[in-house]
């Protein structure tokens, strides 16, 4: 019995140690907490509480070069042109980036992706899982080239207007809208 207990505790210790090791907070303040994995190729950011603050300075992370990045943004309520400040100084010329915004999203202001020359060079897939109000300003996604643009409204938030002017000067290969009965 005692031996089994020891084995049990040892396994638990190994699991806890691995959990601590895999936690790699790379950006943290009162507004957001980001966890980076595989040398920043997978980044998960959580907005800690609803905030009007949207400024994230990505240059505080060390520069990295991967062909592919995956970003998860959880509970972010607003995106503005400050959300990706100095992003191009850290994530050096990737071929593809996937952005996944999960829950939250009330409002997206103009020109969230800047500089255009940087983002236009990248194959971008962007998805919004269960956005809330999803108010899009004119030019929200301007200047961009999207491989795929997906909205998945599984929680069935109230109907929203899909502002097509958000896509001024943007190229979109595919728009996919799932589970939304009222647009
Ligand atoms: C993140 O920052 C907040 C406020 O600045 C602090 O209270 C919290 O302990 C920090 N969390 C980590 C994991 O460093
Ligand atoms: C954000 O700003 C709007 C308008 O200025 C205000 O109504 C709202 O309460 C603010 N939200 C937070 C979480 O501060
Ligand atoms: C992370 O990537 C950077 C640049 O690509 C490299 O210089 C650094 O050694 C890498 N760090 C680890 C822990 O792999
Ligand atoms: C996101 O917000 C919801 C409701 O506001 C909360 O229940 C959930 O725990 C939050 N998720 C994270 C990862 O903090
Ligand atoms: C665009 O991508 C090419 C090839 O990967 C690279 O040589 C060039 O510097 C990139 N341009 C910008 C503005 O990032
Ligand atoms: C939409 O959300 C549902 C529930 O979270 C999930 O099962 C489904 O795979 C999602 N579809 C896409 C295309 O992301």
């Amino acid at each position: 019995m005692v031996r089994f207990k020891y084995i049990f505790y040892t396994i638990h210790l190994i699991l806890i140690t691995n959990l601590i090791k895999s936690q790699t907070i790379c950006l943290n303040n009162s507004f957001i907490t980001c966890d980076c994995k595989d040398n920043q190729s997978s980044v998960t950011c959580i907005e800690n509480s609803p905030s009007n603050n949207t400024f994230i300075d990505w240059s505080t992370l060390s520069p990295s070069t991967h062909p592919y990045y995956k970003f998860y943004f959880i509970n972010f309520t607003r995106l503005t042109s400050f959300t990706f400040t100095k992003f191009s100084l850290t994530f050096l010329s990737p071929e593809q980036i996937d952005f996944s915004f999960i829950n939250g999203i009330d409002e997206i202001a103009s020109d969230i992706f800047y500089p255009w020359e940087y983002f236009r060079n990248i194959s971008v897939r962007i998805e919004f899982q269960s956005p809330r109000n999803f108010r899009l300003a004119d030019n929200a996604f301007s200047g961009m080239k999207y491989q795929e643009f997906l909205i998945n409204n599984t929680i069935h938030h109230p109907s929203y207007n899909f502002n097509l002017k958000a896509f001024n000067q943007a190229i979109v290969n595919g728009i996919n809208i799932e589970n939304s009965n009222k647009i």
Side-chain angles (χ1 to χ4, degrees):
M1 244 356 239
V2 170
R3 211 164 60 199
F4 275 122
K5 250 189 187 166
Y6 270 116
I7 289 168
F8 181 77
Y9 284 134
T10 311
I11 288 171
H12 255 246
L13 261 178
I14 289 167
L15 286 178
I16 288 167
T17 316
N18 279 342
L19 202 72
I20 291 167
K21 241 195 251 160
S22 66
Q23 285 263 324
T24 40
I25 306 291
C26 50
L27 248 178
N28 180 55
N29 54 43
S30 57
F31 147 61
I32 57 158
T33 303
C34 299
D35 181 69
C36 296
K37 290 199 175 66
D38 302 331
N39 201 0
Q40 295 177 190
S41 71
S42 172
V43 180
T44 301
C45 295
I46 299 168
E47 185 171 288
N48 297 320
S49 59
S51 167
N52 279 334
N53 190 357
T54 58
F55 175 73
I56 304 176
D57 182 357
W58 294 93
S59 69
T60 59
L61 298 177
S62 51
S64 68
T65 49
H66 293 288
Y68 171 71
Y69 291 94
K70 174 89 204 189
F71 289 84
Y72 298 92
F73 291 88
I74 300 169
N75 286 354
F76 277 62
T77 46
R78 287 177 75 223
L79 307 177
T80 69
S81 56
F82 301 115
T83 306
F84 294 99
T85 299
K86 296 184 186 162
F87 189 85
S88 61
L89 299 183
T90 295
F91 305 100
L92 304 172
S93 50
E95 287 158 27
Q96 190 184 337
I97 306 184
D98 287 2
F99 291 103
S100 195
F101 297 91
I102 300 160
N103 300 330
I105 305 297
D106 284 329
E107 185 193 354
I108 302 179
S110 299
D111 296 317
I112 57 165
F113 293 115
Y114 200 79
W116 291 346
E117 309 80 56
Y118 168 79
F119 281 105
R120 216 195 305 249
N121 216 8
I122 300 166
S123 173
V124 172
R125 285 182 61 250
I126 188 165
E127 65 178 49
F128 297 91
Q129 301 284 349
S130 303
R132 290 198 303 204
N133 296 315
F134 208 60
R135 280 193 307 273
L136 306 180
D138 291 355
N139 303 314
F141 306 112
S142 282
M144 289 282 291
K145 203 176 63 190
Y146 295 98
Q147 194 57 36
E148 191 186 0
F149 192 99
L150 173 108
I151 306 167
N152 190 10
N153 193 4
T154 45
I155 298 179
H156 293 294
H157 287 302
S159 62
Y160 47 75
N161 295 312
F162 192 59
N163 180 14
L164 287 175
K165 285 186 184 166
F167 295 92
N168 278 338
Q169 312 273 326
I171 297 168
V172 187
N173 275 0
I175 291 189
N176 186 359
I177 299 175
E178 300 226 342
N179 303 317
S180 287
N181 45 11
K182 284 179 268 169
I183 290 186

